[in-house]
Amino acid sequence: MDKQNHQKSIPFDYTRLHTYSGYLNDKDKLLKSASGGAVTAIAEEIIYRGGVVFGASYSKDFKRSEYRCVDNLDDLELLKGSKYCETAKEIIVENNQVKSVFSVLEDMLNEDRLVLFVGLGCDVGAVRSYCDNKRLKTEKLFLVDILCHGPTSATVHRQFVDNLEKKYKSKIQQFTVRYKKEGWTPPYIHVEFESGRVYETRFYDSLYGFAFSNFTRESCYNCKFKGENHKSDMTCGDYWGLTNSMSGWNENGVSIMIVKTERGEELIKMLDGANYHIEEADTAFALENNHMYFECNKKKAYYNQFGKDVSERGLFYAVMHSPISVKAKVKYALPKNVIDVLIRTKHKAKKILRKV
Ligand SMILES: Cc1cc2nc3c(=O)[nH]c(=O)nc-3n(C[C@H](O)[C@H](O)[C@H](O)COP(=O)(O)OP(=O)(O)OC[C@H]3O[C@@H](n4cnc5c(N)ncnc54)[C@H](O)[C@@H]3O)c2cc1C
Ligand code: SF4
């Protein structure tokens, strides 16, 4: 697609943005990151310089996602990967005291620490407003937002996790929605239980995947942090549109980094080539393949009923009573191994029928 055609479909002036793509050179580290690990690479640099990083991690029991402030590489592991549900804005600090993420961030800025805040666009917007309202010194604050169409509800996540624990009669000890079983795509949900058993299925074939695609927070359908209104220094996401014949490809994930400010460029300069492979990328091409930078998803007609059903009857009921095809319902209702057996049986039956 040529640049003129890009300009027609991108409804804001993107020409001042600078765009880069990249991936972690270490394959094991890359496999643990959601996309190309841009956020992890930047966070590592902040920590090497004595700074702190704010991001989302699962709680110890994996029942919710919550913001956390980390200052070392071990804890940074907890932030890796996408959390596709709402993230609590409280942080548990010393003596089990609970503080808002904003007030912990204020403490860090007041201590003159280098601070990297990574979050969804609206959370970054809230941090920016908090700092402005309180007239905080922000020379050492770097803001990175994650390209998004919105997370699904915390209730969906909680129900999904509770149901799995009930079914597998064991506590969860590892949970990810971006497991790279076959490389970057398709993403898998991968869950490990204390019993040693594992649950694994393609994310978008799961009830969770359905809710993530069709049931995000109400405000996400009218998001105020798109296009020219990103409040971050840099936006990170997946470099959708890239194919294996193009420069910068990595089968295990590639990030896109869309830089808006001088401070965003500073983050790019911090990246160490030995750790992180980085290339300049075409902004128009990146945006054309990732409309969520400037567009909202459309709310489904069954949105309200789905939310009511999730609260009153549970996630499984809600998906089964959504206006989707019978084939799709079978996909969501049956465990993946049963579907595989059915497909194999169908192919065998077809072969036998052809012979008679
Ligand atoms: C709800 C949601 C929707 C998304 N939709 C899109 C999309 O439409 N298009 C696209 O290109 N990319 C989307 N992404 C972003 C993508 O999934 C990756 O999170 C992003 O590319 C960063 O990958 P990475 O490899 O650089 O990060 P990693 O190195 O894996 O680190 C992940 C970082 O993201 C932060 N993070 C993860 N989940 C959350 C969360 N819920 N709230 C706040 N911070 C979080 C973590 O704290 C961590 O710092 C979405 C992410 C989320 C959470
Ligand atoms: S779509 Fe907008 S409102 Fe929804 S989580 Fe993302 S930034 Fe926030």
Side-chain angles (χ1 to χ4, degrees), residues 88-137:
K89 310 286 182 291
E90 297 98 35
I91 291 188
I92 300 167
V93 289
E94 280 154 23
N95 306 326
N96 271 342
Q97 208 194 330
V98 179
K99 280 182 113 178
S100 87
V101 64
F102 308 107
S103 105
V104 180
L105 183 124
E106 180 176 358
D107 293 346
M108 294 299 145
L109 289 175
N110 287 340
E111 283 176 25
D112 208 29
R113 302 283 294 268
L114 206 57
V115 175
L116 171 68
F117 180 90
V118 182
L120 304 181
C122 47
D123 293 344
V124 167
V127 167
R128 186 75 87 190
S129 302
Y130 183 90
C131 293
D132 288 350
N133 292 340
K134 289 218 150 193
R135 295 171 195 267
L136 300 180
K137 271 172 55 178

Side-chain angles (χ1 to χ4, degrees), residues 146-254:
I146 303 281
L147 236 157
C148 84
H149 70 267
T152 193
S153 75
T155 312
V156 163
H157 177 83
R158 170 111 203 182
Q159 284 188 13
F160 189 80
V161 164
D162 282 345
N163 286 340
L164 276 183
E165 288 194 338
K166 221 187 267 169
K167 197 166 156 200
Y168 282 75
K169 297 186 180 65
S170 180
K171 294 273 171 228
I172 287 173
Q173 60 175 18
Q174 200 51 255
F175 182 97
T176 172
V177 290
R178 289 286 301 247
Y179 186 63
K180 295 175 174 173
K181 186 181 162 85
E182 299 174 48
W184 189 9
T185 58
Y188 278 71
I189 293 196
H190 176 91
V191 186
E192 293 172 18
F193 296 88
E194 281 174 8
S195 62
R197 292 179 72 190
V198 169
Y199 164 87
E200 199 170 81
T201 195
R202 282 190 183 192
F203 178 68
Y204 289 104
D205 289 349
S206 71
L207 298 174
Y208 200 143
F210 181 88
F212 178 65
S213 305
N214 300 293
F215 183 65
T216 54
R217 291 183 330 186
E218 184 109 45
S219 53
C220 301
Y221 299 104
N222 187 20
C223 176
K224 305 276 185 288
F225 302 93
K226 302 273 183 188
E228 274 157 351
N229 295 323
H230 287 259
K231 303 296 179 198
S232 61
D233 298 302
M234 176 199 286
T235 303
C236 289
D238 286 286
Y239 191 3
W240 299 137
L242 193 71
T243 59
N244 60 4
S245 59
M246 291 161 74
S247 174
W249 168 256
N250 187 311
E251 61 186 356
N252 294 316
V254 184

Side-chain angles (χ1 to χ4, degrees), residues 10-152:
I10 303 170
F12 71 101
D13 178 13
Y14 59 85
T15 52
R16 268 173 294 159
L17 300 173
H18 272 167
T19 303
Y20 304 84
S21 76
Y23 52 81
L24 286 159
N25 290 323
D26 182 309
K27 187 178 169 190
D28 290 337
K29 277 169 73 178
L30 178 58
L31 287 173
K32 282 189 194 159
S33 281
S35 310
V39 174
T40 289
I42 292 166
E44 283 174 349
E45 295 301 331
I46 295 287
I47 287 172
Y48 293 146
R49 288 162 175 77
V52 296
V53 178
F54 286 81
S57 87
Y58 291 119
S59 55
K60 276 200 187 112
D61 59 6
F62 294 96
K63 304 250 163 151
R64 68 176 203 156
S65 169
E66 55 198 22
Y67 271 103
R68 188 181 282 258
C69 173
V70 307
D71 64 359
N72 63 75
L73 296 186
D74 286 342
D75 289 345
L76 187 60
E77 289 294 312
L78 301 168
L79 304 189
K80 279 187 188 172
S82 299
K83 313 329 177 275
Y84 281 160
C85 56
E86 282 173 300
T87 298
K89 310 286 182 291
E90 297 98 35
I91 291 188
I92 300 167
V93 289
E94 280 154 23
N95 306 326
N96 271 342
Q97 208 194 330
V98 179
K99 280 182 113 178
S100 87
V101 64
F102 308 107
S103 105
V104 180
L105 183 124
E106 180 176 358
D107 293 346
M108 294 299 145
L109 289 175
N110 287 340
E111 283 176 25
D112 208 29
R113 302 283 294 268
L114 206 57
V115 175
L116 171 68
F117 180 90
V118 182
L120 304 181
C122 47
D123 293 344
V124 167
V127 167
R128 186 75 87 190
S129 302
Y130 183 90
C131 293
D132 288 350
N133 292 340
K134 289 218 150 193
R135 295 171 195 267
L136 300 180
K137 271 172 55 178
T138 54
E139 290 79 12
K140 293 193 170 177
L141 173 66
F142 294 86
L143 295 173
V144 170
D145 71 332
I146 303 281
L147 236 157
C148 84
H149 70 267
T152 193

